[in-house]
């Protein structure tokens, strides 16, 4: 069902420091190259993406003291946010998961450069998403 791990999301920060201050260690000390940084005004967050082999590491930080990212950070603190598994056909795989009894908290929607949907956190052992990304792995960096 799952092709590979598409990305692992880590919730960091808060409004006291910029996302670049949190991610600098990955660039300066670990030599990781940032793929890109995306600002989501409606969601009040920024996302910095790094490529590690075939997997994307996604650092998400709220940009203000509102929005669900900020609320999640206040309630749970920084750290693991979710894991996203790549699938070949997101609509078919979602239907298969629903038939197995899994719920979803959202509809299939556009992510950064991919389609994404989030499984209900109450139905899974950890926060999970499924992703359909049409780009070959070597073109994601």
């Amino acid at each position: 069902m799952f092709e590979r791990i598409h990305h692992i999301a880590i919730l960091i920060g808060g409004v006291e420091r910029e996302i670049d201050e949190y991610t600098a260690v990955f660039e300066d000390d670990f030599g990781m190259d940032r793929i890109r940084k995306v600002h989501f005004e409606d969601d009040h967050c920024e996302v910095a993406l790094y490529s590690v082999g075939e997997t994307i590491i996604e650092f998400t930080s709220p940009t203000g003291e509102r929005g669900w990212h900020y609320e999640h950070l206040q309630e749970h603190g920084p750290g693991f946010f979710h894991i996203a598994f790549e699938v070949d056909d997101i609509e078919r795989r979602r239907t298969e998961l629903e038939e197995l009894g899994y719920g979803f908290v959202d509809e299939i929607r556009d992510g950064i450069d991919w389609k994404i949907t989030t499984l209900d956190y109450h139905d899974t052992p950890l926060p999970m998403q499924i992703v359909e990304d049409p780009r070959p792995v070597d073109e994601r960096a």
Side-chain angles (χ1 to χ4, degrees), residues 10 13-14 18 22 24 30 54 69 72 75 95 99 126 129 136:
I10 309 295
E18 297 290 322
Y22 285 96
F30 304 143
E54 295 183 353
H69 293 94
H72 187 89
E75 185 175 340
T95 298
E99 289 171 354
L126 66 158
Q129 296 179 333

Side-chain angles (χ1 to χ4, degrees), residues 121-139:
Y121 301 136
H122 299 99
D123 295 343
T124 58
L126 66 158
M128 294 173 51
Q129 296 179 333
I130 56 173
V131 172
E132 181 181 327
D133 190 337
R135 299 169 302 156
V137 170
D138 60 347
E139 292 180 13

Side-chain angles (χ1 to χ4, degrees), residues 33-51:
D33 293 323
R34 182 181 293 180
I35 299 170
R36 67 194 275 205
K37 183 166 82 171
V38 182
H39 178 81
F40 293 98
E41 190 171 325
D42 291 345
D43 287 331
H44 311 286
C45 72
E46 283 186 312
V47 176
L49 304 175
Y50 294 83
S51 179

